[in-house]
Amino acid sequence: MLLAVLLLFFNHLRHLMMRRNPNTTNLTKDYIESKVSQELIVSKYLDIPMEVVQDCIKNNHLIESVFRDNDTNKSMCIQYNAKRILKVLDFGGFGFFEDIYGVVAYVLSLICNRKIETNNKQDFYYVLKHITYTFSDIIDGKEVDENVTDMIR
């Protein structure tokens, strides 16, 4: 009886260790973007409603900048470039022009009180891990990002 309980326990541990997580998966941009849409990442980290992000992309509308409190002229844009990389542009005094990973790095820089740079390998991996933990339900398959599903169709 004790042997059977031990076998079940070790099988359960082996299953937990084999489960896909940031420690067992090779984190890459492609992996994250296969699970979570670029729009959803920008929406979450910049605290912009998904409908506003999608409208900005679809209709080429400018929106009020989230980087400046005094933006009354709507000087921020979210658009895909020719390579289908989502870019966030702020045409005002801030001069922000980054992809989604630059956006996450900027937000994390504010939270961590240190400069997070995507051209630094350790910082970039930190950005990828943070995105993975933020969207863990989607990445683990507990939820579905319909934007990724629509892109596949």
Side-chain angles (χ1 to χ4, degrees), residues 21-86:
N21 64 50
N23 297 324
T24 60
T25 301
N26 187 12
L27 284 179
T28 63
K29 288 180 177 184
D30 290 337
Y31 175 72
I32 288 174
E33 291 174 25
S34 73
K35 303 287 186 175
V36 184
S37 68
Q38 296 178 66
E39 295 97 341
L40 187 57
I41 294 170
V42 166
S43 173
K44 178 75 170 180
Y45 280 91
L46 292 183
D47 195 26
I48 301 172
M50 186 63 151
E51 299 79 28
V52 173
V53 171
Q54 291 173 333
D55 181 61
C56 186
I57 294 167
K58 182 179 178 184
N59 298 313
N60 205 21
H61 289 156
L62 293 176
I63 59 175
E64 290 182 7
S65 176
V66 297
F67 302 113
R68 292 174 283 114
D69 292 332
N70 62 350
D71 181 25
T72 57
N73 297 329
K74 297 188 176 184
S75 63
M76 188 171 137
C77 176
I78 303 170
Q79 285 296 315
Y80 281 101
N81 68 8
K83 295 180 181 178
R84 297 291 301 157
I85 297 171
L86 193 63

Side-chain angles (χ1 to χ4, degrees), residues 1-19:
M1 178 71 174
L2 180 60
L3 182 61
V5 170
L6 285 175
L7 282 174
L8 283 172
F9 175 73
F10 284 116
N11 277 338
H12 178 69
L13 278 180
R14 187 174 63 84
H15 172 71
L16 288 176
M17 290 172 40
M18 296 302 289
R19 185 182 288 167

